[in-house]
Amino acid sequence: MKKIFALIGFLLLVGCSSQDLGMTDLKETYQESFANPIESLSEEQQSTIGLPKDIPFSLSSVGATTEDNQVQIEYQSDSSERLLVTTIFQPGNILQDLEQQLNLNSGAVAGAEERNDSFYMEWYNGDQDVIYQVEYFSSEEDRAEQTLNIANSI
């Protein structure tokens, strides 16, 4: 019996030590800055928001803004790292013409470009009829690889 309680305690500690980036946890933790704006979206839209399962920095805040047919979520660290994830619902054909093309694990092809202090990617998900845009701001040299990892976790 003691072993079972020890195992449960260990699993709880491990579960609490990582960042939980799921919809429910973000709504609970960031009520004002995330949950309130997200609640204005339909359930269908909320289910297709591009929430990464993993980000390459320790999270200090999350905020969301919604307008018309899109939602933008900003993940911020205590340092200069931040991540913007935009989901555009029922977008039509508005993808940018970006020179780099990267293959995602989902089979989608994302347009990508290096910017001054960020790496940007966007792709269309035909099953959900949304465009996802990911922009990762970091001074790290591997920000392109990190952005690809973020995109693959959506």
Side-chain angles (χ1 to χ4, degrees):
M1 190 66 140
K2 288 182 183 180
K3 289 181 181 180
I4 292 173
F5 285 122
L7 178 61
I8 291 172
F10 175 75
L11 291 175
L12 286 174
L13 284 174
V14 169
C16 294
S17 65
S18 65
Q19 301 181 103
D20 203 341
L21 303 172
M23 178 71 77
T24 303
D25 292 305
L26 290 175
K27 281 182 175 181
E28 289 175 5
T29 306
Y30 303 100
Q31 179 66 39
E32 293 294 317
S33 63
F34 179 80
N36 289 347
I38 295 300
E39 292 299 325
S40 69
L41 301 172
S42 71
E43 285 184 33
E44 180 183 344
Q45 289 174 323
Q46 288 185 42
S47 70
T48 59
I49 292 174
L51 297 176
K53 293 173 184 64
D54 192 29
I55 57 175
F57 56 85
S58 294
L59 192 59
S60 65
S61 67
V62 176
T65 56
T66 61
E67 65 178 60
D68 299 329
N69 67 334
Q70 74 178 27
V71 60
Q72 184 174 69
I73 302 170
E74 181 175 11
Y75 301 83
Q76 184 73 45
S77 73
D78 284 331
S79 64
S80 62
E81 288 180 288
R82 74 184 171 111
L83 171 67
L84 294 176
V85 178
T86 304
T87 304
I88 304 171
F89 307 103
Q90 300 173 334
N93 187 15
I94 62 168
L95 286 172
Q96 297 179 39
D97 187 23
L98 303 172
E99 289 184 22
Q100 293 181 1
Q101 301 291 305
L102 300 174
N103 294 318
L104 300 178
N105 292 344
S106 67
V109 177
E113 74 179 5
E114 184 78 35
R115 296 184 173 171
N116 289 337
D117 59 349
S118 68
F119 194 83
Y120 175 85
M121 293 178 65
E122 74 172 6
W123 67 98
Y124 178 70
N125 180 318
D127 294 337
Q128 298 176 339
D129 193 24
V130 297
I131 289 177
Y132 293 116
Q133 299 171 333
V134 175
E135 188 165 12
Y136 176 49
F137 297 81
S138 172
S139 60
E140 302 295 322
E141 291 181 20
D142 66 342
R143 68 179 169 212
E145 181 181 337
Q146 293 292 347
T147 307
L148 180 59
N149 291 338
I150 294 165
N152 279 323
S153 77
I154 292 179

